[in-house]
Amino acid sequence: MRRLLGFLVALVFAAGAAVLTWPSAFGLERTFPLAQVISFRAPLAAALIAATLLMLLFAFIRPVRAMALVLALIFGVSGGINVALLSDRGFGGDLPAKTETSLRVMTWNTAGSATSAESIAKFAVGMQADVVTLPETTIDTGAQVAEMMRDMGQPMWAHHAEYGEYGITGWDATSTTVLIRPSLGDYSVIQSSLDGSSNTSTVPSAVAMPVSGDGPIIVAAHAVAPRQEYMPQWRSDLQWLADQCGTDNVILAGDFNATLDHMTGMGIDGGTLGRCHDAASESGNGGVGTWPTDAPALLGAPIDHVMATPDWTVSGSVVMRSLDGSGSDHRPIVVQLERTAR
């Protein structure tokens, strides 16, 4: 009976570790509450490694030695797999020098008025950004940023989409702004983004289409956070974003409120989400947390992304950690892209 009980306990822990480590194998990566837990894969890995060490200490107690060693093996293997996955995605990279053909895309959930227009403009100019997507930023703030960037020698056009499904007047999360350098051509936000007839469910995204020039379709993304009561909307938002990457020449950037683990199975033709590939994970930054800023970057959740269809090749990226005191609870990410040679 004792051996049977021990076997059942080990089996339960092994199943739990497997679900936490590889939730997509069980189809649970977008299910509450597992979706929330796996957002923080680095702390999960640390907890599993700590549990391994604790079990090894318990192994010195003779009556529980066998069980402790079995559990240490389970936790150790799971922790090691989590560390390996994070290492493969990358713990930090940098941008190469910008060339005449490079396109730099920056995204930053500014948390509304928590981040000043001056801070956004200075950072965008310093990073030589050609496209800037700003979830939770009103067009008034976006226009101020564009004017400041113009005065700094880098003019931008400001576009946006907004609506207030929550009914809270003045809440900046009901607006998403996108800034585009004029050299990419004229752009216009499509009507379905403006009226919400085809958009993310609760907080808006903005699809900016080129009116002239050969610039890419730019999708400034904002999916609703996966709180328990909004899980269906969150899943539909991710699918909507994946659908935007079903065509060619698309750049998708913003706050997805989702990590790569949540997007498992949502790519086509080798993509991460639809046909879009995640730039950070392809350039050594996929394991760096972009939220929240009051936690170390390596322990945070990588929920902000820049993605692009195969028309674009990633040459580098950076998750900016030096702006953690700027007001926003998100870190900005900047990606450098090059046209894919044909």
Side-chain angles (χ1 to χ4, degrees), residues 95 104-107 123 127 306 316-319 332-336:
L95 291 170
R104 282 199 179 171
V105 181
M106 163 187 158
T107 188
F123 179 62
M127 300 307 294
V306 175
S317 68
V318 63
V319 176
I333 178 171
V334 182
V335 167
Q336 183 160 309

Side-chain angles (χ1 to χ4, degrees), residues 82-195:
N82 276 278
V83 170
L85 286 170
L86 287 168
S87 299
D88 182 63
R89 293 171 184 174
F91 293 117
D94 211 341
L95 291 170
K98 190 177 184 184
T99 68
E100 291 184 359
T101 59
S102 300
L103 181 72
R104 282 199 179 171
V105 181
M106 163 187 158
T107 188
W108 192 4
N109 181 326
T110 62
S113 59
T115 308
S116 69
E118 183 179 12
S119 295
I120 301 168
K122 285 183 176 179
F123 179 62
V125 169
M127 300 307 294
Q128 299 176 277
D130 302 294
V131 175
V132 180
T133 68
L134 301 169
E136 299 194 16
T137 305
T138 65
I139 188 58
D140 291 339
T141 300
Q144 292 179 46
V145 173
E147 291 170 3
M148 291 178 182
M149 291 181 70
R150 178 200 61 200
D151 294 341
M152 296 177 200
Q154 188 171 316
M156 304 287 274
W157 292 117
H159 306 271
H160 83 299
E162 66 178 2
Y163 51 83
E165 187 161 322
Y166 282 105
I168 303 174
T169 302
W171 188 40
D172 293 338
T174 61
S175 183
T176 296
T177 293
V178 55
L179 309 178
I180 304 172
R181 185 175 284 210
S183 60
L184 290 176
D186 293 330
Y187 274 79
S188 177
V189 174
I190 63 175
Q191 184 61 35
S192 59
S193 289
L194 297 175
D195 61 24

